[in-house]
CSV table of all heavy atoms in Angstrom, one decimal:
chain,number,residue,atom,x,y,z
S,1,VAL,N,1.4,66.2,-9.4
S,1,VAL,CA,1.1,65.7,-10.7
S,1,VAL,C,2.5,65.3,-11.3
S,1,VAL,O,3.4,66.1,-11.4
S,1,VAL,CB,0.4,66.7,-11.6
S,1,VAL,CG1,0.1,66.0,-13.0
S,1,VAL,CG2,-0.9,67.1,-10.9
S,2,GLY,N,2.6,64.0,-11.8
S,2,GLY,CA,3.8,63.5,-12.4
S,2,GLY,C,4.0,62.1,-12.1
S,2,GLY,O,3.8,61.7,-10.9
S,3,GLY,N,4.6,61.3,-13.0
S,3,GLY,CA,4.8,59.9,-12.8
S,3,GLY,C,3.5,59.2,-12.7
S,3,GLY,O,2.4,59.6,-13.1
S,4,ASP,N,3.5,58.0,-12.0
S,4,ASP,CA,2.3,57.2,-11.9
S,4,ASP,C,2.2,56.8,-10.4
S,4,ASP,O,3.1,56.0,-9.9
S,4,ASP,CB,2.4,56.0,-12.8
S,4,ASP,CG,1.2,55.1,-12.8
S,4,ASP,OD1,0.3,55.3,-11.9
S,4,ASP,OD2,1.1,54.2,-13.6
S,5,ASN,N,1.2,57.2,-9.7
S,5,ASN,CA,1.1,56.9,-8.3
S,5,ASN,C,0.8,55.4,-8.1
S,5,ASN,O,0.8,55.0,-6.9
S,5,ASN,CB,0.1,57.8,-7.6
S,5,ASN,CG,-1.3,57.7,-8.2
S,5,ASN,OD1,-1.6,56.8,-9.0
S,5,ASN,ND2,-2.2,58.5,-7.8
S,6,ARG,N,0.5,54.7,-9.1
S,6,ARG,CA,0.3,53.2,-9.0
S,6,ARG,C,1.6,52.5,-9.0
S,6,ARG,O,1.7,51.3,-8.7
S,6,ARG,CB,-0.6,52.7,-10.1
S,6,ARG,CG,-2.0,53.3,-10.1
S,6,ARG,CD,-2.8,52.9,-11.4
S,6,ARG,NE,-2.1,53.5,-12.5
S,6,ARG,CZ,-2.5,53.3,-13.8
S,6,ARG,NH1,-3.6,52.6,-14.0
S,6,ARG,NH2,-1.9,53.9,-14.8
S,7,TYR,N,2.7,53.2,-9.4
S,7,TYR,CA,4.0,52.6,-9.4
S,7,TYR,C,4.6,52.7,-8.0
S,7,TYR,O,5.0,53.8,-7.6
S,7,TYR,CB,4.9,53.3,-10.4
S,7,TYR,CG,6.1,52.6,-10.9
S,7,TYR,CD1,6.1,51.8,-12.1
S,7,TYR,CD2,7.3,52.6,-10.1
S,7,TYR,CE1,7.2,51.1,-12.5
S,7,TYR,CE2,8.4,51.9,-10.6
S,7,TYR,CZ,8.4,51.2,-11.7
S,7,TYR,OH,9.5,50.5,-12.2
S,8,ARG,N,4.6,51.6,-7.3
S,8,ARG,CA,4.9,51.6,-5.9
S,8,ARG,C,6.3,52.2,-5.6
S,8,ARG,O,7.2,51.8,-6.3
S,8,ARG,CB,4.7,50.2,-5.3
S,8,ARG,CG,3.3,49.7,-5.2
S,8,ARG,CD,3.2,48.5,-4.4
S,8,ARG,NE,3.7,48.7,-3.0
S,8,ARG,CZ,4.1,47.7,-2.2
S,8,ARG,NH1,4.1,46.5,-2.6
S,8,ARG,NH2,4.5,48.0,-0.9
S,9,GLY,N,6.3,53.0,-4.5
S,9,GLY,CA,7.6,53.5,-4.1
S,9,GLY,C,8.1,54.8,-4.7
S,9,GLY,O,9.1,55.3,-4.3
S,10,ASN,N,7.4,55.2,-5.8
S,10,ASN,CA,7.9,56.5,-6.4
S,10,ASN,C,7.6,57.7,-5.5
S,10,ASN,O,6.7,57.7,-4.7
S,10,ASN,CB,7.3,56.6,-7.8
S,10,ASN,CG,5.8,56.8,-7.8
S,10,ASN,OD1,5.2,56.9,-6.8
S,10,ASN,ND2,5.3,56.9,-9.0
S,11,CYS,N,8.4,58.7,-5.8
S,11,CYS,CA,8.3,59.9,-4.8
S,11,CYS,C,7.4,61.0,-5.4
S,11,CYS,O,7.0,60.9,-6.6
S,11,CYS,CB,9.7,60.4,-4.6
S,11,CYS,SG,10.4,61.3,-5.9
S,12,SER,N,7.2,62.0,-4.6
S,12,SER,CA,6.4,63.1,-5.1
S,12,SER,C,7.2,63.9,-6.1
S,12,SER,O,8.3,64.3,-5.8
S,12,SER,CB,6.0,64.0,-3.8
S,12,SER,OG,5.5,65.2,-4.3
S,13,PRO,N,6.5,64.3,-7.2
S,13,PRO,CA,7.2,65.2,-8.1
S,13,PRO,C,7.5,66.6,-7.5
S,13,PRO,O,8.4,67.3,-8.0
S,13,PRO,CB,6.2,65.3,-9.3
S,13,PRO,CG,4.9,64.9,-8.7
S,13,PRO,CD,5.2,63.9,-7.7
S,14,LYS,N,6.8,66.9,-6.5
S,14,LYS,CA,7.0,68.2,-5.8
S,14,LYS,C,8.5,68.3,-5.3
S,14,LYS,O,9.1,69.4,-5.3
S,14,LYS,CB,6.0,68.4,-4.7
S,14,LYS,CG,4.6,68.6,-5.2
S,14,LYS,CD,3.7,68.9,-4.1
S,14,LYS,CE,2.2,69.1,-4.5
S,14,LYS,NZ,1.3,69.4,-3.4
S,15,LEU,N,9.0,67.2,-4.8
S,15,LEU,CA,10.4,67.2,-4.3
S,15,LEU,C,11.3,67.5,-5.4
S,15,LEU,O,12.2,68.4,-5.2
S,15,LEU,CB,10.7,65.8,-3.7
S,15,LEU,CG,12.2,65.6,-3.3
S,15,LEU,CD1,12.6,66.6,-2.2
S,15,LEU,CD2,12.5,64.2,-2.9
S,16,ILE,N,11.2,66.9,-6.6
S,16,ILE,CA,12.1,67.1,-7.7
S,16,ILE,C,11.9,68.6,-8.2
S,16,ILE,O,12.9,69.2,-8.5
S,16,ILE,CB,11.9,66.1,-8.8
S,16,ILE,CG1,12.1,64.7,-8.2
S,16,ILE,CG2,12.8,66.3,-10.0
S,16,ILE,CD1,11.6,63.5,-9.1
S,17,GLU,N,10.7,69.0,-8.2
S,17,GLU,CA,10.4,70.4,-8.6
S,17,GLU,C,11.1,71.4,-7.7
S,17,GLU,O,11.7,72.4,-8.1
S,17,GLU,CB,8.9,70.7,-8.7
S,17,GLU,CG,8.2,69.9,-9.8
S,17,GLU,CD,6.7,70.1,-9.6
S,17,GLU,OE1,6.2,70.9,-8.8
S,17,GLU,OE2,6.0,69.3,-10.4
S,18,ASP,N,11.1,71.1,-6.4
S,18,ASP,CA,11.8,72.0,-5.4
S,18,ASP,C,13.3,72.0,-5.6
S,18,ASP,O,13.9,73.0,-5.5
S,18,ASP,CB,11.4,71.5,-4.0
S,18,ASP,CG,10.0,72.0,-3.6
S,18,ASP,OD1,9.4,72.8,-4.3
S,18,ASP,OD2,9.5,71.6,-2.5
S,19,LEU,N,13.8,70.8,-5.9
S,19,LEU,CA,15.3,70.7,-6.2
S,19,LEU,C,15.7,71.5,-7.4
S,19,LEU,O,16.7,72.2,-7.4
S,19,LEU,CB,15.7,69.2,-6.4
S,19,LEU,CG,15.6,68.4,-5.1
S,19,LEU,CD1,15.9,66.9,-5.5
S,19,LEU,CD2,16.7,68.8,-4.1
S,20,ILE,N,14.9,71.4,-8.5
S,20,ILE,CA,15.1,72.2,-9.7
S,20,ILE,C,15.0,73.7,-9.4
S,20,ILE,O,15.8,74.5,-9.8
S,20,ILE,CB,14.2,71.7,-10.8
S,20,ILE,CG1,14.5,70.3,-11.2
S,20,ILE,CG2,14.3,72.7,-12.0
S,20,ILE,CD1,13.4,69.7,-12.1
S,21,ARG,N,14.0,74.0,-8.7
S,21,ARG,CA,13.8,75.4,-8.4
S,21,ARG,C,14.9,76.0,-7.5
S,21,ARG,O,15.4,77.2,-7.8
S,21,ARG,CB,12.5,75.6,-7.6
S,21,ARG,CG,12.0,77.0,-7.3
S,21,ARG,CD,10.7,77.1,-6.6
S,21,ARG,NE,9.6,76.6,-7.5
S,21,ARG,CZ,8.9,75.5,-7.3
S,21,ARG,NH1,9.2,74.7,-6.2
S,21,ARG,NH2,8.0,75.1,-8.1
S,22,PHE,N,15.5,75.2,-6.6
S,22,PHE,CA,16.5,75.7,-5.7
S,22,PHE,C,17.9,75.7,-6.4
S,22,PHE,O,18.6,76.7,-6.3
S,22,PHE,CB,16.6,74.9,-4.4
S,22,PHE,CG,17.5,75.4,-3.4
S,22,PHE,CD1,17.1,76.3,-2.5
S,22,PHE,CD2,18.8,74.9,-3.3
S,22,PHE,CE1,18.0,76.8,-1.5
S,22,PHE,CE2,19.7,75.4,-2.4
S,22,PHE,CZ,19.3,76.3,-1.5
S,23,PHE,N,18.2,74.6,-7.0
S,23,PHE,CA,19.6,74.5,-7.6
S,23,PHE,C,19.7,75.0,-9.0
S,23,PHE,O,20.8,75.3,-9.5
S,23,PHE,CB,20.1,73.1,-7.5
S,23,PHE,CG,20.3,72.6,-6.1
S,23,PHE,CD1,19.5,71.7,-5.5
S,23,PHE,CD2,21.5,73.0,-5.4
S,23,PHE,CE1,19.7,71.3,-4.2
S,23,PHE,CE2,21.7,72.6,-4.1
S,23,PHE,CZ,20.8,71.8,-3.5
S,24,LYS,N,18.5,75.2,-9.7
S,24,LYS,CA,18.5,75.8,-11.1
S,24,LYS,C,19.4,75.1,-12.1
S,24,LYS,O,20.1,75.7,-12.8
S,24,LYS,CB,18.8,77.3,-11.0
S,24,LYS,CG,17.8,78.1,-10.1
S,24,LYS,CD,18.2,79.5,-10.1
S,24,LYS,CE,17.1,80.4,-9.4
S,24,LYS,NZ,16.8,79.9,-8.1
S,25,PRO,N,19.3,73.7,-12.2
S,25,PRO,CA,20.1,73.1,-13.3
S,25,PRO,C,19.4,73.3,-14.6
S,25,PRO,O,18.1,73.6,-14.7
S,25,PRO,CB,20.0,71.6,-12.9
S,25,PRO,CG,18.7,71.5,-12.1
S,25,PRO,CD,18.6,72.8,-11.4
S,26,THR,N,20.1,73.2,-15.7
S,26,THR,CA,19.5,73.3,-17.0
S,26,THR,C,19.0,72.0,-17.5
S,26,THR,O,18.2,71.9,-18.5
S,26,THR,CB,20.5,73.9,-18.0
S,26,THR,OG1,21.7,73.1,-18.1
S,26,THR,CG2,20.9,75.3,-17.6
S,27,GLN,N,19.5,70.9,-16.8
S,27,GLN,CA,19.1,69.6,-17.2
S,27,GLN,C,19.2,68.7,-16.0
S,27,GLN,O,20.1,68.8,-15.2
S,27,GLN,CB,20.0,69.0,-18.3
S,27,GLN,CG,19.7,67.6,-18.8
S,27,GLN,CD,20.5,67.2,-19.9
S,27,GLN,OE1,20.3,67.5,-21.1
S,27,GLN,NE2,21.6,66.5,-19.7
S,28,ILE,N,18.4,67.7,-15.9
S,28,ILE,CA,18.4,66.7,-14.8
S,28,ILE,C,18.4,65.3,-15.4
S,28,ILE,O,17.7,65.0,-16.4
S,28,ILE,CB,17.2,66.9,-13.8
S,28,ILE,CG1,17.4,66.0,-12.6
S,28,ILE,CG2,15.9,66.7,-14.5
S,28,ILE,CD1,16.4,66.4,-11.5
S,29,CYS,N,19.2,64.4,-14.8
S,29,CYS,CA,19.2,63.0,-15.3
S,29,CYS,C,18.7,62.1,-14.2
S,29,CYS,O,18.9,62.4,-13.0
S,29,CYS,CB,20.7,62.6,-15.6
S,29,CYS,SG,21.4,63.6,-17.0
S,30,ASP,N,18.1,61.0,-14.6
S,30,ASP,CA,17.6,60.0,-13.6
S,30,ASP,C,17.8,58.6,-14.3
S,30,ASP,O,17.3,58.3,-15.3
S,30,ASP,CB,16.2,60.2,-13.3
S,30,ASP,CG,15.7,59.3,-12.2
S,30,ASP,OD1,16.3,58.2,-12.0
S,30,ASP,OD2,14.6,59.7,-11.6
């Protein structure tokens, strides 16, 4: 769940969640 799956080419929010969980940043930029 996250973003819009109709927006072609976007990635799974699970990947970003895993990165946040592993590296534990206090803020993320995109």
Side-chain angles (χ1 to χ4, degrees):
V1 179
D4 185 349
N5 60 7
R6 295 170 300 179
Y7 200 94
R8 290 189 62 198
N10 65 4
C11 75
S12 167
K14 293 182 179 181
L15 171 64
I16 302 169
E17 291 171 11
D18 282 349
L19 291 171
I20 294 170
R21 186 179 293 112
F22 185 87
F23 291 106
K24 297 179 172 55
T26 59
Q27 179 177 277
I28 187 169
C29 297
D30 188 338

